[in-house]
Amino acid sequence: MTQHDHNHLIKDKMPLMISCDQTTYLLSKNQHEEIGFITKLKIKMHLAMCVYCRRYEKQIKFLDKIIIKIKSAPNLNSFQHKLTSEQKEKIAESIKNQENS
Amino acid sequence: MYNYAISRTHSTEISEDLIQDTFLSALRAKDSFKGKSTEKTWLIAILKRKIIDYYRKNSRNIEDNLIDKAKPFKDSGFFSGHWLDKNAPHEWNISDDIENQELIKIIQYCLSLLPLKWASCFNLKNLEEIPNQEICKELGISESNLWVMLHRARLQLRECLEINWFKK
């Protein structure tokens, strides 16, 4: 990924009308930090016109909710993996080896 | 600990290695353990460090040659920057899926498909909650590159989830 390919996303001044690429980029960024009033307005304008980006916004919020769930609960059922005794042996063995060396 | 590692790296093999490393480091540093926290907390803290190291190592090994491979937008013409027809988001029928274990499995699967560099960014930012500056330092990237990769990772996750969950 070269810097050049993404210049349209990161340059300071975006035109009043922004593209779907820029909108979705800014929506991601907005999740983590303050992006400024004017930029938010540009996003709103785009969302008002674009059904795909409206869907994207809704879906990405849903996705983020699940990510938060994964983060906060590493012991969910779907992660109930147990090391087998064989795996444990293997780990113990290599620890011993490295300790002695 | 094993579960923690898997939830962060999405791979059983890598998790095994990380656990092994963690115990080794813990043994070597056992004198510095002052009993202020429980052993488990202490070990998890070491494991976290190992996970960051793992991502850093990989970001050095693998040069990124994925030039916009998964970009779902048109890149030329009057509608440049607009959704490609085949990639545009479809309506999702979101119900109380969020509690659904199957869905979480699918997301795990989608996370494991992300290009390594994007996954590093995404996991460090969203799961480990490491500050931007530190992520950039560890992975050797600029901050604007970090934003772009986080953005691309989300785009791909969304599409993967749509294909594997909502289209069924």
Side-chain angles (χ1 to χ4, degrees):
Chain A
M1 185 183 308
T2 59
Q3 192 70 33
H4 176 77
D5 295 316
H6 300 292
N7 278 345
H8 64 291
L9 291 180
I10 53 194
K11 63 188 167 195
D12 290 335
K13 287 212 169 97
M14 290 188 185
L16 189 58
M17 300 293 235
I18 56 179
S19 67
C20 303
D21 193 3
Q22 289 163 329
T23 304
T24 49
Y25 168 77
L26 290 169
L27 284 171
S28 292
K29 196 168 173 182
N30 186 31
Q31 193 224 2
H32 297 294
E33 70 175 30
E34 193 51 49
I35 55 169
F37 175 71
I38 301 287
T39 314
K40 274 187 191 157
L41 209 65
K42 285 178 186 170
I43 295 178
K44 283 230 166 79
M45 275 178 57
H46 182 96
L47 289 179
M49 300 181 296
C50 178
V51 60
Y52 294 138
C53 287
R54 280 203 298 277
R55 280 182 198 160
Y56 180 83
E57 186 192 24
K58 213 163 97 190
Q59 294 170 359
I60 226 65
K61 277 185 184 156
F62 175 68
L63 187 65
D64 285 334
K65 254 197 249 168
I66 301 170
I67 297 291
I68 288 173
K69 204 173 149 69
I70 292 178
K71 176 179 71 188
S72 56
N75 288 326
L76 285 170
N77 287 343
S78 47
F79 311 132
Q80 284 308 329
H81 301 275
K82 284 251 156 62
L83 285 168
T84 62
S85 44
E86 251 171 52
Q87 286 171 310
K88 284 180 187 165
E89 282 290 303
K90 215 175 87 192
I91 291 177
E93 192 64 27
S94 49
I95 288 176
K96 260 185 225 154
N97 287 341
Q98 293 195 38
E99 271 296 283
N100 294 335
S101 61
Chain B
M1 275 171 69
Y2 188 49
N3 283 326
Y4 184 89
I6 289 180
S7 78
R8 296 309 194 242
T9 62
H10 323 297
S11 154
T12 51
E13 266 170 64
I14 296 160
S15 298
E16 259 179 66
D17 289 347
L18 286 172
I19 299 276
Q20 187 180 313
D21 274 4
T22 304
F23 277 119
L24 260 176
S25 302
L27 272 172
R28 289 196 181 126
K30 61 178 182 288
D31 296 334
S32 70
F33 178 63
K34 300 195 179 67
K36 275 184 193 155
S37 52
T38 63
E39 275 132 1
K40 193 177 164 196
T41 320
W42 185 61
L43 286 171
I44 290 279
I46 300 176
L47 177 59
K48 264 189 169 181
R49 199 57 237 170
K50 295 285 171 204
I51 291 171
I52 297 174
D53 286 348
Y54 159 74
Y55 284 131
R56 187 186 49 214
K57 254 187 254 159
N58 276 308
S59 77
R60 297 237 170 100
N61 289 344
I62 297 169
E63 253 330 294
D64 220 305
N65 52 4
L66 313 135
I67 302 167
D68 285 340
K69 151 188 157 272
K71 202 171 161 183
F73 303 106
K74 296 174 181 149
D75 58 6
S76 61
F78 182 69
F79 288 103
S80 161
H82 287 250
W83 293 97
L84 287 165
D85 294 334
K86 67 178 172 58
N87 298 98
H90 289 80
E91 194 68 64
W92 286 4
N93 184 15
I94 300 173
S95 48
D96 50 357
D97 290 332
I98 188 149
E99 294 300 328
N100 193 316
Q101 294 295 331
E102 283 302 307
L103 174 67
I104 293 189
K105 262 187 209 157
I106 299 274
I107 302 235
Q108 289 279 307
Y109 166 72
C110 290
L111 280 167
S112 73
L113 292 184
L114 285 177
L116 225 124
K117 217 162 186 176
W118 300 359
S120 308
C121 294
F122 190 84
N123 290 337
L124 290 176
K125 180 80 190 166
N126 293 294
L127 296 176
E128 302 299 333
E129 295 185 306
I130 313 279
N132 283 355
Q133 261 186 331
E134 201 178 323
I135 302 180
C136 294
K137 212 179 79 197
E138 301 284 1
L139 302 181
I141 54 175
S142 70
E143 190 165 1
S144 48
N145 255 326
L146 172 65
W147 287 122
V148 171
M149 282 195 250
L150 286 171
H151 166 52
R152 292 278 177 258
R154 270 215 184 73
L155 284 171
Q156 184 174 324
L157 279 182
R158 190 211 69 81
E159 197 168 330
C160 175
L161 189 60
E162 177 161 307
I163 291 165
N164 291 295
W165 182 255
F166 289 99
K167 270 193 182 163
K168 273 186 200 160

